[in-house]
Amino acid sequence: MATSDPSKGVDVDKVEEILQTEIGGRAATGKAATVLFLVPLVWSLFQLWIASPLPYIVNFGIFNSTEARSIHLAFAVFLAFSAYPMIKGKHSSAVPVYDWVLALIAAFCASYLYVFYRELSSRPGSPTTMDLWVALIGLVLLLEATRRALGLPLAIVAAVFITYSVFGRYMPDVIAHKGVSLNKLASHQWLGTEGVFGVALGVSTSFVFLFVLFGALLERAGAGNYFIKVAYAMLGHMRGGPAKAAVVSSGLSGIISGSSIANVVTTGTFTIPLMKRVGFPATKAGAVEVAASTNGQLTPPVMGAAAFLMVEYVGISYLEVIKHAILPAMISYVALIYIVHLEACKLNMKGIERPNRPSLAQRMLSWVVLLIGLCVLTLAVYYGIGWVKAWLGDGAAWVLGPILLLSYIGLVAYGTRFPELEVDDPSKEMGALPEVGPTVKSGLFFLLPVVVLIWCLTVERFSPQLSAFWATMFMVFIVVTQRPMQAYFRKHGAFLGAFREGLGDLVHSLATGGRNMVGIGVATATAGIVVGTVTLTGIGLVMTEFVELLSGGNLLLMLIFTAVISLILGMGLPTTANYIVVSTLMAPVIVTLGAESGLLVPLIAVHLFVFYFGILADDTPPVGLAAYAAAAISGADPIRTGIQGFAYDIRTAILPFMFIFNTQLLLIGLTGWFDLLLTVFSAVTAMLVFAAATQGYWFTKTRWWETLALLLITFTMFRPGYWWDRVYPPTEERPGAEIMEYVEEVPADKDIVLKVSGTSMDGNDVSTYLKLEIPGGDSPEERLLGAGLDLSTDGDVMTVNTVEFDSPAEDAGIDFGWTIEAFQVELERPPKELMFIPALILLGLVAFGQLRRKSREDAQEATA
């Protein structure tokens, strides 16, 4: 029976389940503990091996992607059964015999594709009885492993999709299909790469494991404590400083974390009590941590592993994903810090006194020196290393490697000049803040692995897997060597003891990385069932029809319903599985219905839209697992914590709607540096203004008409084109019969927007908008043929005679026999950014009125 503390409103059993799920299941003893330590350790070593160039150098231990996925899942399900009990709270320190048996059977079923890879390859589509039994048992055990490691929600979702696959003919007409046999289900979901062993598990195998291991190594080395200390040293003196520091430290931790719940139970253990100690109510302290942790999953470069999945699903490079996601994540975090500031102002909080308070001139000088130093360092690194690479080519590594090593040794030696950072005790009273300079300088070497990672990704253009491998290997070197080097430079002696301690840290980090991957490995495999069901049954088209029916063809309603369904689908799911489910089911809805309404947006914008709302489920009642975890620490009611967290995250919820209609927020379609700066300025301003509007407080408490004015300013700054389009339309439609004249004027390799109609292959009437790239050529006919179109005119009707195979026209979705009804022509007009001027004037008037009212209120308080 669930127990609860009525004074706090916390379901203790629920909290224990959440914490146990995220921290790692059983605390086994004896031989079981040894196995549960060695298996994840071996798993980590296997992942490092397949990510390294070594197999190809020694020509041994080379695994193809399917074999690697099979072994990866075998480790994950073995640990899911052995590390997590069947019933929460029972067998928490020992592993019963039946769990060992289930673990071995599950591991065999998962590794079946590796063990019998050659035999399965020789009989595609013709599984034997043994194949089918292994597949069906594997599916059942995978669902049970998911229930144990991640709870019921994802297991129920996958079970529903399996049931839908088999019993489709008995479903309501709107979602019915002919159904599939158990043989077809087992073969599709388990014996190929369409279901469980699909793209999602491949990304978990290739990229995600290394980044989780990278995070485990950083945490073991002390980087997590370093980030928290730096955040408090730099921000603790401000109003609500600990809460602002919580946002920053949780953001830094969440960037490399694969779960918002895990982030809450790690950084929140320190940040939530500190916020309460300076005056934040328990509900708001927990809500700030929840909002910061969920936003960490939306922040590049990892995005809870979703960034790597987007590479596969959207078909763009990893760097492109980072570029498009960075501005919304950045302005969302800036707004959260500002929300915390407004909350502190409402509560009339003061900052914590610095030990050595610098003067204004000293602070200005420090910032100038810091900015100039960063610029000089950036230019020196970029151009210096770039010059070495251009000069020495492949031999540059033999020069840059020693430079990196010397930099590391120098930074460790420099850091030992300052006191070691102690882990804060949340139960003690908060004293003076640590000094900024010594705190920052004590751990600068922690930034080097991140520099290596970014350099490999952006300059060397290595794959994410290889980049993560080299960054992880450098982190391994740091974990092993930092303690003996610090002992040497501090003249503490015990060099060999420190070295052994470093080796122990490494081994424990490898085991921790493997344990932390159990949930993600199982989740990506189970989410593959959803993907497999979509390809097996065509439910994606059904979902499109369902949302179209609900929205009645209204574009805004379509987006709202898609957002709500994504929010529901994301409840209780870990980040990676969350993205797989919402992107598979809901992204095609926006693409299809948006195109029919004339809304053509880049696919990355669509995927970010559904991902944002899927992640917001972590703090949305009634499930809101992150809110439950935060409430367990703060002692507040979990439902109230979730509601308050979602109130803080409203700023995140409006962003997807804005970047769907204004893709410049995703840094798409910018014309230069001025355009970039203007976009960043307008987005940050809009988000800060929106924060003030939703908090009901700016310089002082806002009145209702001021709130409306602030919301109007927010909308205008985010989407100036909405108003500008009413005065100066951006495009006009011309009849399809005139397309030849237009194509003759279009620059080479430019996209044109066509409105086409016809009958699809399944017999449905289609009318939609699409983009088609037109190559160069001597005549309009030749240029259209280059795009794959052969057209003919019959009066006022332009008909598609043929569509060339594998041409841009076929990729765009055009079919022969269709009609080109119209095309869009861009019109010249003044820049839409002129709308910022009246918006800023209105903002100035609101500010003027609030400042006058604030001065009167201050005067009344002074005389009272």
Side-chain angles (χ1 to χ4, degrees):
M1 180 181 293
T3 58
S4 61
D5 183 341
S7 67
K8 296 179 180 178
V10 178
D11 187 333
V12 176
D13 285 354
K14 178 73 173 175
V15 170
E16 287 178 354
E17 178 181 339
I18 293 166
L19 296 177
Q20 189 179 44
T21 294
E22 294 299 333
I23 292 172
R26 283 188 175 108
T29 57
K31 293 181 179 179
T34 304
V35 173
L36 294 183
F37 181 82
L38 290 177
V39 171
L41 173 63
V42 173
W43 189 12
S44 292
L45 293 174
F46 167 75
Q47 294 291 156
L48 287 172
W49 174 261
I50 63 174
S52 74
L54 281 176
Y56 301 96
I57 295 173
V58 301
N59 198 28
F60 171 78
I62 300 174
F63 301 89
N64 64 35
S65 60
T66 303
E67 292 172 328
R69 294 173 192 181
S70 177
I71 297 172
H72 179 84
L73 183 59
F75 275 110
V77 292
F78 179 87
L79 288 170
F81 280 101
S82 56
Y84 294 87
M86 180 179 293
I87 301 173
K88 301 295 182 184
K90 293 192 175 182
H91 303 293
S92 58
S93 61
V95 183
V97 174
Y98 62 81
D99 272 353
W100 288 123
V101 173
L102 289 174
L104 290 172
I105 294 173
F108 170 74
C109 293
S111 60
Y112 191 76
L113 269 70
Y114 167 68
V115 177
F116 298 101
Y117 181 77
R118 186 171 299 176
E119 291 83 352
L120 290 169
S121 300
S122 65
R123 53 173 189 266
S126 303
T128 64
T129 303
M130 176 70 171
D131 296 341
L132 295 174
W133 273 110
V134 168
L136 290 173
I137 293 172
L139 283 171
V140 173
L141 291 179
L142 178 61
L143 293 181
E144 169 59 11
T146 304
R147 184 194 69 80
R148 292 187 182 207
L150 298 165
L152 275 173
L154 182 56
I156 291 174
V157 168
V160 167
F161 275 84
I162 291 175
T163 305
Y164 174 75
S165 298
V166 177
F167 299 103
R169 69 183 65 186
Y170 305 109
M171 297 293 167
D173 289 343
V174 69
I175 60 171
H177 67 96
K178 64 180 181 180
V180 298
S181 65
L182 284 177
N183 288 0
K184 178 67 174 174
L185 174 75
S187 179
H188 187 85
Q189 294 283 16
W190 197 268
L191 301 177
T193 56
E194 293 287 332
V196 170
F197 296 94
V199 171
L201 187 62
V203 171
S204 176
T205 306
S206 302
F207 311 143
V208 179
F209 193 105
L210 291 175
F211 278 92
V212 170
L213 181 57
F214 183 72
L217 289 163
L218 270 174
E219 187 64 35
R220 187 77 184 189
N225 183 52
Y226 172 71
F227 289 149
I228 290 175
K229 288 292 187 182
V230 168
Y232 280 101
M234 297 182 70
L235 301 173
H237 66 284
M238 301 179 181
R239 283 179 181 263
K244 293 174 183 175
V247 173
V248 173
S249 59
S250 296
L252 291 172
S253 177
I255 285 172
I256 59 174
S257 168
S259 165
S260 52
I261 300 102
N263 199 30
V264 167
V265 299
T266 50
T267 61
T269 304
F270 302 99
T271 59
I272 292 174
L274 288 174
M275 284 187 272
K276 291 174 65 178
R277 278 151 60 187
V278 296
F280 271 87
T283 299
K284 292 187 176 181
V288 168
E289 177 61 38
V290 168
S293 296
T294 52
N295 267 129
Q297 303 303 291
L298 305 172
T299 307
V302 179
M303 298 167 64
F308 311 114
L309 288 161
M310 287 180 188
V311 171
E312 302 293 334
Y313 288 177
V314 180
I316 60 177
S317 71
Y318 177 67
L319 289 179
E320 287 290 307
V321 172
I322 292 175
K323 183 186 82 172
H324 297 319
I326 187 66
L327 181 57
M330 181 189 75
I331 62 178
S332 190
Y333 261 117
V334 169
L336 183 56
I337 292 174
Y338 190 57
I339 285 173
V340 168
H341 174 75
L342 294 177
E343 289 282 14
C345 290
K346 286 192 283 187
L347 296 170
N348 199 27
M349 291 182 183
K350 304 297 181 184
I352 300 169
E353 192 66 29
R354 281 180 170 177
N356 296 312
R357 185 173 182 177
S359 64
L360 178 60
Q362 289 174 321
R363 279 182 284 176
M364 295 293 291
L365 180 62
S366 298
W367 278 108
V368 170
V369 171
L370 177 63
L371 289 174
I372 294 176
L374 285 175
C375 291
V376 171
L377 182 62
T378 302
L379 292 173
V381 170
Y382 188 83
Y383 289 104
I385 296 179
W387 175 78
V388 171
K389 184 169 177 59
W391 179 42
L392 296 176
D394 293 337
W398 297 102
V399 175
L400 299 177
I403 292 175
L404 179 66
L405 178 61
L406 291 173
S407 300
Y408 167 61
I409 295 173
L411 288 175
V412 172
Y414 184 59
T416 57
R417 298 181 182 180
F418 308 99
E420 293 184 55
L421 299 179
E422 297 181 359
V423 178
D424 185 65
D425 184 355
S427 63
K428 294 182 179 178
E429 286 296 320
M430 178 173 286
L433 293 173
E435 293 187 44
V436 176
T439 304
V440 172
K441 295 170 186 175
S442 65
L444 285 173
F445 60 91
F446 286 129
L447 302 178
L448 288 178
V450 181
V451 172
V452 171
L453 175 63
I454 295 172
W455 178 265
C456 289
L457 286 169
T458 59
V459 179
E460 299 291 346
R461 297 299 178 105
F462 290 162
S463 67
Q465 181 180 17
L466 190 57
S467 301
F469 169 76
W470 287 118
T472 302
M473 292 309 296
F474 187 59
M475 197 62 233
V476 166
F477 177 72
I478 289 178
V479 169
V480 173
T481 61
Q482 68 159 336
R483 290 184 186 276
M485 288 178 62
Q486 287 171 337
Y488 173 78
F489 288 119
R490 293 184 191 276
K491 300 185 179 354
H492 287 172
F495 181 82
L496 290 177
F499 183 71
R500 284 194 295 268
E501 194 174 350
L503 288 176
D505 285 342
L506 171 61
V507 173
H508 279 86
S509 297
L510 293 173
T512 301
R515 268 303 267 277
N516 290 347
M517 266 302 297
V518 175
I520 297 176
V522 170
T524 51
T526 307
I529 294 174
V530 177
V531 179
T533 302
V534 171
T535 58
L536 187 61
T537 65
I539 189 179
L541 296 175
V542 172
M543 209 60 163
T544 302
E545 294 171 0
F546 180 65
V547 173
E548 185 177 25
L549 179 67
L550 289 176
S551 64
N554 183 280
L555 185 60
L556 185 59
L557 284 178
M558 179 268 291
L559 290 173
I560 292 173
F561 281 125
T562 302
V564 171
I565 295 173
S566 298
L567 199 64
I568 294 171
L569 288 172
M571 287 184 175
L573 302 189
T575 301
T576 314
N578 189 323
Y579 170 67
I580 296 167
V581 171
V582 297
S583 64
T584 303
L585 288 177
M586 304 313 301
V589 174
I590 300 178
V591 172
T592 303
L593 297 183
E596 291 177 2
S597 303
L599 177 66
L600 299 175
V601 294
L603 194 55
I604 182 64
V606 174
H607 278 251
L608 285 174
F609 181 94
V610 296
F611 180 51
Y612 265 57
F613 284 102
I615 290 300
L616 286 177
D618 281 345
D619 64 7
T620 306
V623 179
L625 296 183
Y628 269 91
I633 300 168
S634 69
D637 178 79
I639 300 298
R640 290 180 60 194
T641 300
I643 292 172
Q644 184 67 60
F646 188 76
Y648 290 155
D649 269 339
I650 288 178
R651 77 200 190 287
T652 305
I654 69 161
L655 272 173
F657 287 96
M658 295 300 110
F659 62 59
I660 280 287
F661 291 103
N662 181 12
T663 55
Q664 285 184 321
L665 294 173
L666 302 179
L667 306 185
I668 296 174
L670 300 179
T671 57
W673 279 105
F674 179 75
D675 207 6
L676 171 63
L677 294 174
L678 193 61
T679 299
V680 172
F681 166 76
S682 62
V684 172
T685 302
M687 191 54 86
L688 295 180
V689 171
F690 182 75
T694 53
Q695 290 302 301
Y697 191 96
W698 191 13
F699 297 106
T700 186
K701 187 176 180 180
T702 56
R703 293 171 177 171
W704 67 267
W705 62 266
E706 290 176 326
T707 299
L708 292 179
L710 292 175
L711 291 174
L712 178 62
I713 294 165
T714 299
F715 182 76
T716 304
M717 297 296 288
F718 266 135
R719 197 183 165 198
Y722 180 83
W723 310 110
W724 209 237
D725 292 350
R726 270 118 189 97
V727 183
Y728 300 99
T731 61
E732 69 174 6
E733 284 195 2
R734 296 181 184 175
E738 301 176 9
I739 192 170
M740 292 297 183
E741 293 84 352
Y742 179 61
V743 168
E744 193 169 13
E745 303 170 358
V746 171
D749 300 323
K750 179 178 173 59
D751 289 338
I752 63 173
V753 177
L754 304 177
K755 182 181 182 182
V756 297
S757 62
T759 304
S760 64
M761 296 294 290
D762 54 8
N764 294 325
D765 291 333
V766 175
S767 178
T768 187
Y769 289 82
L770 52 86
K771 285 184 178 180
L772 180 65
E773 185 178 303
I774 304 296
D778 295 331
S779 66
E781 292 80 5
E782 182 181 327
R783 298 184 68 183
L784 287 170
L785 283 172
L789 282 182
D790 178 30
L791 306 178
S792 64
T793 306
D794 183 10
D796 293 334
V797 178
M798 183 65 74
T799 305
V800 178
N801 292 331
T802 58
V803 178
E804 290 187 15
F805 175 74
D806 197 25
S807 65
E810 186 187 48
D811 294 340
I814 303 176
D815 206 348
F816 68 91
W818 284 19
T819 299
I820 297 180
E821 295 185 1
F823 58 91
Q824 291 182 356
V825 177
E826 293 183 4
L827 301 176
E828 290 191 9
R829 60 177 188 163
K832 62 185 178 183
E833 287 77 12
L834 290 174
M835 282 301 305
F836 293 159
I837 297 174
L840 292 174
I841 291 173
L842 180 57
L843 182 63
L845 292 174
V846 174
F848 178 73
Q850 286 222 340
L851 287 171
R852 287 188 62 186
R853 195 161 70 249
K854 169 79 172 163
S855 63
R856 288 198 301 267
E857 291 170 356
D858 291 343
Q860 290 172 359
E861 288 182 8
T863 56

